[in-house]
Amino acid sequence: MQPSWSSQASRMRGSRQTFLNFFCILWLPLLLKAASSSPLPHGNDPPPPSLPSGLYKGHTCVGCVLVVSVIEQLAQWHNSTVKAAMERLCNYIPEKLQGFCYVLAELYGPHIAELIDREMNADVVCHSLKLCKQDPGQPLCHLYPPPKVGLSTAIRKAKRIIKTSKDLKSFMGFSSLCAFPLLANLCEKIKYVIRNKLPFEDFDGDKFSTFPTLRGYHWRGRDCNDKNTTVYPGRRPDNWDVKSDSNCNGIWGVDPKDGLPYEEKFCKGADSQGVVLLGDSAGAHFHIPPEWMTVTQMSAKSFANLPMAFTDELDWPQFSEITGFLNSTIGGWTDSLYLRLRRRNRCNHRDLQNISQNGGSSGNLLYLIKSLARNQLLDNPAIVIYATIGNDVCNGNRDTLAHMTTPKEMLSNVVQALRYLDSRLPNGSHVILTGLVDGRFLWDNLHDRYHPLGQLNRDVTYSQLYSFLDCLQVSPCSGWLTPNETLRNLTSERALQLSNVLKEIARSEKFANFDIFYMDFPLRQTAEEWRKMGGEPWQLIEPVDGFHPSQIAAALGTSITWQKALHEWPQVLGKENPFNDQIEAIFKDQGGH
Ligand SMILES: *[C@@H]1O[C@H](CO)[C@@H](O)[C@H](O)[C@H]1NC(C)=O
Ligand SMILES: *[C@@H]1O[C@H](CO)[C@@H](O)[C@H](O)[C@H]1NC(C)=O
Ligand SMILES: *[C@@H]1O[C@H](CO)[C@@H](O)[C@H](O)[C@H]1NC(C)=O
Ligand SMILES: *[C@@H]1O[C@H](CO)[C@@H](O)[C@H](O)[C@H]1NC(C)=O
Ligand SMILES: *[C@@H]1O[C@H](CO)[C@@H](O)[C@H](O)[C@H]1NC(C)=O
Ligand SMILES: *[C@@H]1O[C@H](CO)[C@@H](O)[C@H](O)[C@H]1NC(C)=O
Ligand SMILES: *[C@@H]1O[C@H](CO)[C@@H](O)[C@H](O)[C@H]1NC(C)=O
């Protein structure tokens, strides 16, 4: 290990603490994403993103409660010892991560087992392990109903039990953990994140190599020739792509029959255009598989997707509304604006850009938007979907109302973003502004239902989950995920005001290079459509976080948006390409997916 690592470790608050945190690392990245919708700073001129230390603490607590709950419930469901339950869990986890799991089970297992055997619930266990902490003057946060003796009494008792346990002293240093081949990589990444004060969201697998270049990060998989910067999707073809595919749409070469370039034959005058998504976590399509925490159905199969999910930061862009292209394996089905636009005109193949990020709001989009790549002179026009559907009113602050974007700020942010777009988008582009969602839908449809963690014993409702996250100040939206109806109403009121700002901008502002439209977030129609198909409204919400739209909601929303555009603004979608079948016959799937 590099020497800087040990000094780094000591700078963190005691290495035991660090090590304990590792226990939750299997779940940590997902929790960071689930519970924090606003890692980016609020405001127009965001400094480099950083993670408030309180947030990290909150997520550690959520992670611990989650893992301990799963262990506890596995033991209960299989009528086994806690130790056996931990081994079972480690067995389910893909081999790559198993070594890690066993090390942790070996070290922390005995304490957790001892506490669970004495009927301490996950809240008590995590508080006594100090993975959940009570801030001075703040309430004790808990997910489960408190034990009969009271939560603080139970925690005191648990702490006494742990203190007498000698195992705890047999602690292995953090750096020795880093010597495990499997963990070395993980250590490197944590080190990198801490050193560069990056948000822990970026604590992740593959993308790390490219992280420092924002371009590489946002542009992953976009280019079809990384070595040649003049080759990229969306550009107008170079000499009709006679020799090579300069715009990555899979169409190039010359038809031997008549000597004409295919690109010219099939795509000339076809109104080719790209799709750009400027948005938030709904666009990022965040999803945590509920199988990871439903012990009654848990098996090795439940975790088969774990390594892949981690590599993709738990987003599933391959199934998402805008960039989805694979059949969904996470329920529902795949539909996307990009897919439909490509089906309409196969010359649009691969021309998509996604500039969405968890926490995207009107303010920090001004910063994200800089990563838009469109050359005004060389490229085709684009359809830009501007969809920050909640983060302007959603935050985890105790004083959530005071931290919401005001209509005045909204106006300024959005107009600024549009001016920027006007300076970057090729003439003939289109911008669609999407209104904010009415998040009362979440509480109304979920609050008394059981969360996946609460289904076995009927002891955790979404209402409890929301309160727990709120208490830890990691709620993705304190204003909507709350029992306080007045507050929910006020949040919706602000959301409506902000949507009206967008509507007014679309009505009154004019730009040189694009026309502009507004549409309400199609929640009502989505719910209606789903009801007609025999579905229930709660199925439109991600079961684990109780906040994001589900795969079903995404796919339905796409089709509603498409229909609206088709009927009201057909010019936005361009015409159908009569050569689609020929393109498919010659170039098959056109590659790149
Ligand atoms: C659980 O296992 C214990 C010991 O193996 C046994 O005594 C008990 O009856 C079992 N309980 C259930 C509900 O199967
Ligand atoms: C890069 O791509 C362009 C456009 O296809 C082409 O004209 C040029 O020769 C390529 N450059 C190199 C170094 O391959
Ligand atoms: C958009 O990009 C973000 C950040 O790279 C990613 O997390 C997300 O999954 C992508 N979303 C879509 C719709 O492709
Ligand atoms: C997706 O499913 C449909 C029908 O179920 C099938 O026709 C299609 O080939 C599948 N696509 C992919 C990419 O697997
Ligand atoms: C953009 O194109 C339209 C028509 O296609 C034209 O009227 C307009 O002048 C163009 N705008 C600019 C800034 O070139
Ligand atoms: C919240 O809004 C709903 C719908 O507008 C209304 O029926 C209800 O009375 C309001 N509740 C409070 C507490 O303001
Ligand atoms: C509900 O929220 C409103 C607005 O923040 C606040 O004034 C009120 O005190 C809250 N009510 C309760 C019971 O906490």
Side-chain angles (χ1 to χ4, degrees):
M1 281 297 106
Q2 290 164 17
S4 63
W5 179 226
S6 49
S7 63
Q8 197 54 255
S10 63
R11 215 184 304 162
M12 297 177 67
R13 297 185 54 213
S15 29
R16 187 174 74 89
Q17 187 58 51
T18 311
F19 181 57
L20 279 163
N21 289 348
F22 258 78
F23 186 75
C24 298
I25 243 151
L26 286 175
W27 272 267
L28 192 59
L30 77 90
L31 294 158
L32 286 168
K33 291 208 65 154
S36 98
S37 70
S38 293
L40 282 172
H42 196 271
N44 293 358
D45 210 355
S50 71
L51 192 83
S53 63
L55 265 187
Y56 181 53
K57 242 170 31 194
H59 290 122
T60 307
C61 178
V62 179
C64 177
V65 169
L66 222 152
V67 176
V68 173
S69 298
V70 168
I71 293 169
E72 201 161 13
Q73 292 182 19
L74 271 176
Q76 180 192 342
W77 182 247
H78 295 280
N79 191 21
S80 73
T81 62
V82 172
K83 186 164 181 290
M86 282 186 212
E87 278 161 11
R88 189 184 289 272
L89 183 62
C90 288
N91 271 325
Y92 289 159
I93 285 170
E95 237 169 274
K96 265 163 77 181
L97 299 168
Q98 264 176 9
F100 184 40
C101 189
Y102 284 119
V103 171
L104 292 174
E106 199 56 45
L107 281 164
Y108 286 88
H111 313 291
I112 292 175
E114 185 161 11
L115 293 175
I116 294 179
D117 284 342
R118 299 198 192 190
E119 314 224 303
M120 306 277 186
N121 71 21
D123 293 318
V124 177
V125 172
C126 293
H127 274 286
S128 59
L129 291 175
K130 299 211 171 89
L131 291 178
C132 290
K133 284 188 193 136
Q134 181 180 18
D135 286 334
Q138 299 300 334
L140 262 172
C141 304
H142 59 96
L143 180 63
Y144 293 87
K148 277 193 208 72
V149 293
L151 190 54
S152 25
T153 312
I155 293 170
R156 264 200 309 279
K157 217 166 113 194
K159 278 184 179 157
R160 272 202 303 278
I161 294 169
I162 297 188
K163 210 170 268 161
T164 58
S165 153
K166 53 185 183 310
D167 293 315
L168 202 63
K169 301 200 176 76
S170 69
F171 148 74
M172 274 160 71
F174 186 68
S175 20
S176 57
L177 259 187
C178 291
F180 283 83
L182 178 80
L183 301 185
N185 202 10
L186 215 59
C187 290
E188 276 306 306
K189 285 168 194 166
I190 293 187
K191 187 163 80 170
Y192 186 93
V193 165
I194 293 170
R195 195 194 305 130
N196 292 292
K197 298 204 173 72
L198 296 172
F200 265 73
E201 278 207 335
D202 297 315
F203 172 78
D204 165 52
D206 292 0
K207 272 191 222 104
F208 238 78
S209 51
T210 57
F211 180 80
T213 60
L214 199 61
R215 188 185 155 84
Y217 180 88
H218 280 125
W219 264 243
R220 194 168 59 131
R222 196 180 150 257
D223 293 342
C224 55
N225 181 353
D226 277 341
K227 297 206 185 73
N228 188 335
T229 52
T230 65
V231 172
Y232 56 88
R235 62 161 290 166
R236 282 191 252 117
D238 177 41
N239 188 25
W240 293 117
D241 283 1
V242 168
K243 292 223 173 60
S244 66
D245 188 11
S246 70
N247 58 5
C248 304
N249 68 0
I251 302 170
W252 62 285
V254 174
D255 187 343
K257 285 201 227 91
D258 51 18
L260 286 178
Y262 286 116
E263 181 88 35
E264 182 177 4
K265 260 174 108 164
F266 296 149
C267 301
K268 190 176 179 183
D271 287 352
S272 298
Q273 55 182 346
V275 183
V276 178
L277 171 68
L278 279 174
D280 54 22
S281 51
H285 201 72
F286 183 76
H287 167 81
I288 304 173
E291 310 85 84
W292 293 357
M293 49 198 81
T294 316
V295 298
T296 52
Q297 287 146 36
M298 199 174 273
S299 68
K301 238 178 105 203
S302 316
F303 291 97
N305 51 6
L306 192 91
M308 181 193 79
F310 270 54
T311 313
D312 280 348
E313 284 193 342
L314 291 152
D315 285 335
W316 309 73
Q318 64 273 42
F319 311 134
S320 73
E321 291 123 289
I322 309 293
T323 61
F325 54 85
L326 294 177
N327 280 344
S328 170
T329 57
I330 54 176
W333 60 95
T334 301
D335 196 352
S336 82
L337 219 54
Y338 162 69
L339 268 192
R340 284 176 181 246
L341 211 59
R342 171 181 178 271
R343 214 179 296 141
R344 193 173 177 81
N345 174 7
R346 298 195 70 127
C347 298
N348 292 330
H349 179 73
R350 264 180 119 164
D351 189 0
L352 60 100
Q353 286 185 54
N354 150 31
I355 315 186
S356 59
Q357 179 163 339
N358 281 358
S361 69
S362 67
N364 51 43
L365 263 191
L366 289 175
Y367 159 74
L368 289 177
I369 205 174
K370 302 262 152 75
S371 58
L372 172 86
R374 210 74 184 172
N375 185 310
Q376 226 161 2
L377 299 176
L378 294 180
D379 298 351
N380 285 322
I383 302 178
V384 178
I385 314 285
Y386 185 102
T388 59
I389 65 169
N391 284 311
D392 284 282
V393 295
C394 283
N395 58 69
N397 286 75
R398 291 212 195 283
D399 191 5
T400 179
L401 285 168
H403 289 83
M404 293 177 187
T405 306
T406 64
K408 213 173 134 206
E409 285 163 352
M410 188 76 173
L411 179 68
S412 150
N413 289 341
V414 177
V415 168
Q416 239 175 293
L418 293 172
R419 293 222 174 97
Y420 182 81
L421 287 177
D422 206 23
S423 73
R424 286 290 182 283
L425 291 176
N427 193 12
S429 293
H430 312 279
V431 173
I432 298 177
L433 302 175
T434 308
L436 279 76
V437 71
D438 185 347
R440 285 179 291 193
F441 185 84
L442 302 168
W443 176 269
D444 293 348
N445 288 295
L446 285 187
H447 76 275
D448 55 359
R449 296 189 60 84
Y450 291 112
H451 184 266
L453 270 186
Q455 277 161 12
L456 182 62
N457 297 315
R458 306 183 149 260
D459 55 357
V460 180
T461 60
Y462 282 93
S463 168
Q464 281 161 261
L465 174 76
Y466 295 155
S467 299
F468 179 52
L469 297 179
D470 205 27
C471 175
L472 294 167
Q473 295 189 68
V474 296
S475 172
C477 197
S478 296
W480 275 324
L481 309 183
T482 167
N484 184 334
E485 185 180 345
T486 311
L487 185 54
R488 296 200 305 273
N489 278 1
L490 286 171
T491 306
S492 289
E493 201 177 289
R494 176 61 62 83
L496 184 64
Q497 288 166 355
L498 300 185
S499 294
N500 284 336
V501 168
L502 295 173
K503 203 186 276 183
E504 181 56 26
I505 291 173
R507 203 186 59 76
S508 61
E509 298 280 330
K510 292 277 172 283
F511 298 89
N513 291 309
F514 54 84
D515 49 9
I516 184 167
F517 306 90
Y518 169 83
M519 68 177 285
D520 286 328
F521 184 85
L523 180 64
R524 204 178 40 76
Q525 298 100 300
T526 302
E528 182 62 19
E529 215 39 44
W530 184 231
R531 198 185 50 76
K532 278 195 226 136
M533 294 166 72
E536 304 267 352
W538 57 266
Q539 293 166 314
L540 298 172
I541 308 166
E542 274 298 324
V544 171
D545 61 43
F547 178 64
H548 289 96
S550 70
Q551 178 67 26
I552 296 168
L556 284 172
T558 300
S559 109
I560 291 162
T561 307
W562 182 266
Q563 291 305 329
K564 184 175 172 78
L566 206 55
H567 291 127
E568 297 177 27
W569 327 304
Q571 72 274 27
V572 169
L573 304 178
K575 45 182 187 280
E576 189 131 12
N577 189 334
F579 299 107
N580 283 337
D581 290 345
Q582 288 185 52
I583 295 174
E584 196 176 347
I586 299 172
F587 298 101
K588 307 292 180 259
D589 71 357
Q590 296 168 258
H593 272 179

